[in-house]
Amino acid sequence: ANPSPGCSSHIGDTLEVLDSLGRSGALVVWTMHNRRPHFWPEDAGDALYARMARLASAVIHHSKWGMREMTEAFSYRKNAIHDVIPHGHYSAELTIREDRIECERRLGLAPCALRFGVLGRPQPGKRVADIARAFLAGAGFDRQLLVTAVGPDERLPSDPRLARRPRSHWLAREEIAMQVKCCDCLVAWHGGGSHLTSGLVADAIGGGIPMLVNADWEYWREIMGTAAITYVDGDGLAEAFATLTAGHIARGAIAAVSLRPAHDWTTVAQETARLFARAWRAPCRARLAEECP
């Protein structure tokens, strides 16, 4: 849920629902995708997650790094089960009939030698404007930056190398598939705040393309491995935009495709089912039934 700033009644109602859920004795399995809700005030988001931590019988983390971060940040139930299950990839959802030329035509994109993509929903902490500045500082005119992770009212510099396609609503997977198909590499500068996981890895692995990402966020390196091309700061990002070659991108693409088996939804589903079975059979269930099945 995304309460507007100052919407204390919504926040209070949400916490009250969690209290009721705790009193019900229901088994709660929590998938920790975020560090805190993206659009909540920081203190309220921390309070929500602290309450969830006390409630959850099992917790799914999307990375070992994320599990370390969150188990240090919150006090979970002593008998809670923690497991690392990766985010699945979207290869099937990204398979479309249209070729890249047709996708470029539909999105109104001029052909270029290399296209980088800053995709996804507009969210706090994505540093989209910083990425755009670094791109314009380093990239030649044979390169293009496709930016969809901005709202209609967000402004970016005007430059023919920068293709701004604002996003104000949920997109169908076909629309996202066209955007990914037009990109040779996805770019991100996440970290801190509310981010713990990025769904962009599902698009990169599914689309078979590498990511250009900030080195100080350990999540990228753990999940993307050699499909992650890292930079340290804005100057490093500008240099990467200037010097990355089609060969670098091709090697990263091979690495991204190799990650698909571990991120296949069938594998993820099997691991999730095993976790649910463990949680159901855990001693904490004994108070809800005379014996655990």
Side-chain angles (χ1 to χ4, degrees):
N2 300 335
S4 58
C7 188
S8 57
S9 62
H10 179 96
I11 294 169
D13 290 345
T14 302
L15 293 172
E16 185 176 328
V17 168
L18 294 186
D19 288 337
S20 298
L21 185 60
R23 290 191 296 270
S24 75
L27 174 67
V28 175
V29 179
W30 184 19
T31 299
M32 298 213 67
H33 188 86
N34 299 323
R35 169 62 178 79
R36 70 173 67 89
H38 289 314
F39 299 97
W40 282 46
E42 184 174 328
D43 56 347
D46 281 340
L48 173 70
Y49 275 30
R51 182 68 190 91
M52 279 295 299
R54 295 193 299 271
L55 188 63
S57 296
V59 186
I60 296 172
H61 304 271
H62 286 318
S63 67
K64 294 177 182 177
W65 167 81
M67 183 167 68
R68 291 195 303 271
E69 287 284 306
M70 301 312 286
T71 52
E72 291 176 4
F74 295 106
S75 296
Y76 295 83
R77 295 168 59 154
K78 291 182 180 180
N79 56 1
I81 299 169
H82 293 264
D83 201 0
V84 176
I85 301 176
H87 194 298
H89 70 74
Y90 293 139
S91 177
E93 291 80 3
L94 295 174
T95 301
I96 54 177
R97 297 190 308 274
E98 294 82 359
D99 61 16
R100 178 159 169 158
I101 293 174
E102 175 61 15
C103 291
E104 288 176 334
R105 186 191 69 78
R106 291 195 183 189
L107 291 174
L109 300 173
C112 61
L114 284 177
R115 183 178 293 110
F116 300 86
V118 185
L119 308 184
R121 290 186 299 147
Q123 289 174 351
K126 282 192 171 181
R127 302 188 67 172
V128 174
D130 291 334
I131 294 173
R133 281 192 289 270
F135 179 81
L136 296 178
F141 280 89
D142 62 337
R143 302 177 178 217
Q144 192 177 103
L145 187 70
L146 171 62
V147 182
T148 71
V150 291
D153 298 327
E154 295 181 70
R155 294 288 175 261
L156 295 175
S158 177
D159 190 286
R161 292 169 292 171
L162 201 159
R164 177 178 173 274
R165 300 293 183 270
R167 176 169 167 171
S168 59
H169 59 279
W170 288 97
L171 300 182
R173 289 308 305 181
E174 276 191 20
E175 296 175 274
I176 297 172
M178 283 197 292
Q179 295 171 359
V180 174
K181 199 160 194 174
C182 288
C183 296
D184 301 290
C185 180
L186 300 187
V187 188
W189 197 341
H190 290 30
S194 61
H195 290 286
L196 185 68
T197 307
S198 174
L200 289 173
V201 301
D203 290 330
I205 296 171
I209 57 177
M211 293 190 70
L212 180 57
V213 293
N214 49 306
D216 61 344
W217 207 37
E218 191 173 334
Y219 173 79
W220 299 127
R221 300 195 303 275
E222 178 184 340
I223 299 303
M224 294 299 294
T226 55
I229 305 167
T230 59
Y231 60 89
V232 174
D233 53 20
D235 290 339
L237 179 55
E239 182 179 358
F241 281 132
T243 60
L244 278 178
T245 66
H248 293 131
I249 300 298
R251 287 191 291 275
I254 292 171
V257 171
S258 73
L259 296 170
R260 286 179 181 169
H263 292 256
D264 185 86
W265 284 107
T266 300
T267 303
V268 170
Q270 291 170 345
E271 294 178 4
T272 302
R274 284 193 289 268
L275 177 64
F276 270 73
R278 287 173 59 199
W280 178 256
R281 294 185 177 94
C284 64
R285 294 295 298 172
R287 64 187 176 87
L288 300 180
E290 293 184 1
E291 62 180 49
C292 297

